[in-house]
Amino acid sequence: MSDRDESRDDPRAEQTRYDQARYVENGQYEPLLSEKDQTRVEIGGNGGDGGSPLPDDLTRDSLELPELSEPELARHYTRLSQMIYGIDSGPYPLGSCTMKYNPKFTEDVAALPSAAVHPDRSERSVQGTLELMYRLQDYLGRIGGMDAVTLQPPAGAAGEFVGIRVAAAYHEHEGEGHRDEVIVPESAHGTNFASAALGGYDVVSLPSDEGGRVDLEALEAALSENTAALMLTNPNTLGLFERDIEEIAEMVHDVGGLLYYDGANLNALLGRARPGDMGFDVMHYNVHKTFATPHGGGGPGAGPVGVVDELAPFLPAPRVRENGASKSEPGYELFDPEHTIGKVHGYQGNWLVLVKAFAYIARLGDEGLADASAKAVLNANYLASRIEYEVPYEPFHHEFVASAGEQDAADVAKRMLDYGVHPPTTKWPEIVPEALMTEPTEVEGKDTLDRLAAAFNAVADEDDETLEAAPERTTARRIDQTSAARSPRLSWQALESEGDDE
Ligand SMILES: *Cc1c(COP(=O)(O)O)cnc(C)c1O
C-alpha cells in the first residue's frame, strides 16, 4: 500500500490517471468484449449432469459469452494490436535483447500438426521429434564450438543458472568444491550477477579498462584458487570484441577456473567466430534473440546450454542421442548424463521455440548465418555514423552504446515513441552515462535505419520540457511502473471499483 501512496504524489502517476479519462473522451479507449455487448449467449451446458466424460467438479453448467459478430471481434483485436508498438509495427533496436521476427515461416513450421506432440508419448512414436532435437543440439554445438548441448533451459537467464550449476558440479566432482567465487565484468547483464549468486557463489565484480574491455590487471588480481568461473559476453555489451580473449582464457584456466560465455550477443559472431575456439568451456544461447521468435513480456524463450566434453556428464537430464539401433536408419533416444545436475524444466524445455530455432538455422544454413551477422554489424555501424549522440566506445560490432549526454536516457526513449520508432535499451551498461544501447539487427534496410537516425537526431535537439512531457502520441503515456510491478491490478473489476473510490 505504501508504494501506491507514494506514487500518488508523483506527477507522472497523476498524468496516468488523467490519461485514462482522456482515452475515454477521445474514443481511444477500447472496452472489453463483455462491456461492448450486454446480451449473453449460453455455451455448453453439458457439465454437472453427467453429459461430460469429465468429473462434475471440473465442468461448468454453462458459459455465458457476449454476443458479438465476427467483424466486431476482429475490430476489437485489431484495435488492441494498434494500441501497442510491436516488432511488426516498426524497428525495434533494443541493444543486447536482439529483437527480430523473421522469417515468419518458422511460425508455419511450429504450427504444423506434427509439431504438437504430447510430451508423454513413447520414444518410438516420436522419433521425428527426437531427431529434430538431436539435430538442433548438433547445430548449436557446431555454431558455438561446443561438444554437447542441452535444450532444456527456458531462457537465457535459466541457461546461465544451469551453466553455473554444471560448473559447480564439475568442480565438486574434481575435488575442487572449495571454489566459491564467480567473476563478472561490471558491463555484464544483470542476470550474470544474479545467476552466479543464485548458483551459490560470491560474485566478484570486474572493472573495465579505459577502452571498455576486460582490464587484464584487474582480472589477474581477481583470479585465485577460489575462482570457479569468469562469465564473459563477447562482443561485450558495448559491442566491443575482447581482443585478448585467448590470453583471458589462459589466465582463467591456469588457476583452474572455467570460462562462461553469455551467448546473448551471438548475433555478432554467427558463422564467423566460435566461443569454443576462443577457449570458452560453457555457454548459453538465447535462441529467441539470435534465431527466430520475438520475445518480451516474459517470454517465450529458450536458453540451451553448450559445454566442452569434460562438462557433458553434468548436463541436465534428459538429453537426446542416437541409439545406434541400425546404421542405415538411426533411431533416437533420451538419456540421463552420468553425473547430471538433474531436471531443470518440464519435459524438453520450450519445445515450439526450439522448433522455430531449428527451422531458422536450417533455412539460413552456414552462409545465411554468416550473412546475418555481417549485416547486423554493418547496420549498427551505419546507424551509429548517422546519429548526433556521442558513441564513446569503438570499434563496436552488432550494437553500440550512445550517450544521451545532458538528457535523461529514459526521457529520450519515451520521446522516440512519438517519432514512431521503438527506443533502444536505456541506462545500461552504466559505464556510459545515460546509455542508449542500440542494436538495429540485420533485418532493417537503409530507409528504416535512416528513419531511426532521424528520430534520434530530432530528439537530440529537443529541450527537457518536451522530453519530460513525452510520449504525446501513444495510447498510454507515462506508466507508473513501480505500482504496476508491486501492486498489479489483475482484475478489471478491481480497477473500476478502485477508480470509484478516488
Ligand atoms: C537478454 C540477456 C540475458 C538474459 O537472457 P533472457 O533470455 O532474457 O533470460 C543475458 N545476458 C545478456 C547480455 C542479455 O542481453
Side-chain angles (χ1 to χ4, degrees), residues 95-98 154-160 188-192 233 237 262-265 284 286 288-289 295 301-303 428:
S96 202
C97 300
T98 319
E160 290 170 27
H189 194 264
T191 51
N192 287 191
T233 314
T237 56
D262 178 332
N265 284 349
H284 77 263
N286 300 67
H288 47 288
K289 296 181 183 176
H295 51 102
W428 174 69

Side-chain angles (χ1 to χ4, degrees), residues 244-304:
D244 299 319
I245 187 58
E246 285 172 327
E247 191 177 342
I248 293 171
E250 206 175 301
M251 288 165 71
V252 174
H253 290 152
D254 278 350
V255 300
L258 295 170
L259 197 55
Y260 184 97
Y261 181 81
D262 178 332
N265 284 349
L266 200 59
N267 216 36
L269 298 187
L270 277 182
R272 296 178 176 271
R274 310 192 309 166
D277 299 336
M278 299 174 201
F280 286 94
D281 305 292
V282 43
M283 67 177 287
H284 77 263
Y285 306 76
N286 300 67
V287 302
H288 47 288
K289 296 181 183 176
T290 309
F291 306 115
T293 307
H295 51 102

Side-chain angles (χ1 to χ4, degrees), residues 106 109-111 115 132 136 350-360:
T106 62
V109 175
L132 187 151
L136 181 58
N350 266 342
W351 164 242
L352 292 179
V353 176
L354 298 170
V355 173
K356 288 186 228 178
F358 176 84
Y360 178 96

Side-chain angles (χ1 to χ4, degrees), residues 36-111:
K36 273 182 188 280
D37 185 82
Q38 298 302 322
T39 57
R40 293 285 181 271
V41 271
E42 218 174 277
I43 309 284
N46 63 348
D49 58 1
S52 161
L54 294 172
D56 284 353
D57 59 345
L58 292 183
T59 60
R60 49 176 136 213
D61 291 337
S62 70
L63 180 61
E64 290 189 351
L65 294 176
E67 191 170 28
L68 291 162
S69 68
E70 186 176 306
E72 285 169 314
L73 265 185
R75 285 175 197 143
H76 173 71
Y77 289 109
T78 303
R79 273 177 72 92
L80 288 180
S81 77
Q82 289 167 342
M83 287 163 81
I84 58 159
Y85 188 99
I87 196 158
D88 282 340
S89 325
Y92 217 116
L94 277 185
S96 202
C97 300
T98 319
M99 290 293 251
K100 51 188 177 182
Y101 191 21
N102 74 316
K104 293 278 194 287
F105 101 102
T106 62
E107 293 290 347
D108 297 343
V109 175

Side-chain angles (χ1 to χ4, degrees), residues 218-243:
L219 177 62
E220 186 69 58
L223 288 168
S224 73
E225 77 276 0
N226 293 326
T227 303
L230 166 66
M231 298 180 87
L232 268 193
T233 314
N234 193 20
N236 67 20
T237 56
L238 295 166
L240 309 180
F241 190 81
E242 297 288 354
R243 293 184 190 132

Side-chain angles (χ1 to χ4, degrees), residues 153-485:
E160 290 170 27
F161 179 67
V162 165
I164 289 296
R165 293 306 305 161
V166 164
Y170 167 79
H171 286 311
E172 191 71 40
H173 187 261
E174 297 288 300
E176 297 275 314
H178 66 274
R179 294 178 182 269
D180 59 0
E181 289 177 357
V182 169
I183 305 172
V184 184
E186 60 183 17
S187 63
H189 194 264
T191 51
N192 287 191
F193 301 91
S195 302
L198 206 62
Y201 285 103
D202 292 336
V203 181
V204 179
S205 178
L206 191 66
S208 308
D209 69 9
E210 278 184 3
R213 295 187 177 81
V214 167
D215 183 332
L216 293 186
E217 272 174 35
L219 177 62
E220 186 69 58
L223 288 168
S224 73
E225 77 276 0
N226 293 326
T227 303
L230 166 66
M231 298 180 87
L232 268 193
T233 314
N234 193 20
N236 67 20
T237 56
L238 295 166
L240 309 180
F241 190 81
E242 297 288 354
R243 293 184 190 132
D244 299 319
I245 187 58
E246 285 172 327
E247 191 177 342
I248 293 171
E250 206 175 301
M251 288 165 71
V252 174
H253 290 152
D254 278 350
V255 300
L258 295 170
L259 197 55
Y260 184 97
Y261 181 81
D262 178 332
N265 284 349
L266 200 59
N267 216 36
L269 298 187
L270 277 182
R272 296 178 176 271
R274 310 192 309 166
D277 299 336
M278 299 174 201
F280 286 94
D281 305 292
V282 43
M283 67 177 287
H284 77 263
Y285 306 76
N286 300 67
V287 302
H288 47 288
K289 296 181 183 176
T290 309
F291 306 115
T293 307
H295 51 102
V305 169
V307 294
V308 294
D309 271 331
E310 291 85 333
L311 300 181
F314 305 96
L315 283 175
R319 295 182 56 229
V320 186
R321 67 181 171 203
E322 280 179 306
N323 65 13
S326 122
K327 277 231 164 75
S328 57
E329 205 180 322
Y332 301 89
E333 65 185 8
L334 296 169
F335 74 103
D336 291 354
E338 192 183 352
H339 305 298
T340 179
I341 60 164
K343 265 192 93 53
V344 298
H345 192 278
Y347 298 105
Q348 313 308 334
N350 266 342
W351 164 242
L352 292 179
V353 176
L354 298 170
V355 173
K356 288 186 228 178
F358 176 84
Y360 178 96
I361 297 169
R363 164 71 55 104
L364 267 70
D366 289 343
E367 274 179 33
L369 294 179
D371 189 44
S373 59
K375 287 185 177 137
V377 173
L378 176 66
N379 278 359
N381 279 270
Y382 176 73
L383 180 60
S385 75
R386 306 284 302 196
I387 69 171
E388 284 164 23
Y389 289 112
E390 193 204 344
V391 180
Y393 293 98
E394 332 172 277
F396 45 82
H397 290 73
H398 64 306
E399 71 188 8
F400 61 87
V401 183
S403 172
E406 299 291 304
Q407 294 178 323
D408 183 316
D411 290 338
V412 169
K414 296 292 180 205
R415 185 61 176 153
M416 284 183 76
L417 291 165
D418 284 336
Y419 290 92
V421 299
H422 198 280
T425 301
T426 56
K427 306 251 184 190
W428 174 69
E430 285 163 16
I431 312 171
V432 175
E434 300 302 327
L436 300 168
M437 185 200 233
T438 313
E439 179 178 359
T441 80
E442 74 280 10
V443 305
E444 307 300 352
K446 182 171 173 297
D447 285 351
T448 305
L449 296 174
D450 287 338
R451 215 176 102 213
L452 257 174
F456 270 108
N457 294 339
V459 178
D461 292 338
E462 289 180 324
D463 58 22
D464 286 350
E465 208 180 317
T466 311
L467 299 192
E468 278 161 26
E472 291 283 343
R473 294 177 51 198
T474 52
T475 310
R477 297 176 66 195
R478 295 277 176 155
I479 307 295
D480 176 5
Q481 292 171 333
T482 311
S483 295

